[in-house]
Amino acid sequence: MRRPPPIPPALQTLLTQQHGAMTSAQALASGLSRRHIQTLVETGWAHPFQGVLIEPGVKYPFRATVSGALLACPSAAVHGVTGARLRRLEGLPLW
């Protein structure tokens, strides 16, 4: 498998804040081309929802998936333990 193209630092910061997920619109706004985004998918990035990408090897895949779902449907909400975990609240039992 070929190596993915580099990610601009500002977009990498956004990926960190969003648990490894981003929208195609965010990628395009950061200067990536549509071809660059396609190459990311071809080199291992997940594409779980329309317009959402998740970087490979994320530390917490569940957080990345939930974050991606929220990016795909901005009017959605996460609550309960899942919401607490997404916001990294302390004191929750391990999964």
Side-chain angles (χ1 to χ4, degrees):
M1 183 181 290
R2 61 187 169 152
R3 295 183 60 204
I7 301 297
L11 186 55
Q12 191 60 56
T13 299
L14 183 67
L15 282 164
T16 300
Q17 294 168 349
Q18 296 178 168
H19 309 282
M22 69 176 171
T23 65
S24 298
Q26 290 171 328
L28 291 168
S30 76
L32 271 62
S33 67
R34 292 193 185 281
R35 180 67 194 133
H36 190 148
I37 293 169
Q38 183 61 36
T39 302
L40 292 175
V41 173
E42 292 169 359
T43 56
W45 286 60
H47 185 58
F49 312 105
Q50 183 173 356
V52 174
L53 299 165
I54 296 178
E55 64 183 327
V58 292
K59 186 173 180 180
Y60 300 106
F62 183 73
R63 283 184 185 160
T65 302
V66 172
S67 185
L70 291 171
L71 290 169
C73 187
S75 63
V78 177
H79 64 89
V81 174
T82 300
R85 288 189 188 285
L86 191 63
R87 295 293 174 208
R88 298 183 177 130
L89 295 180
E90 300 293 325
L92 296 170
L94 295 177
W95 297 356

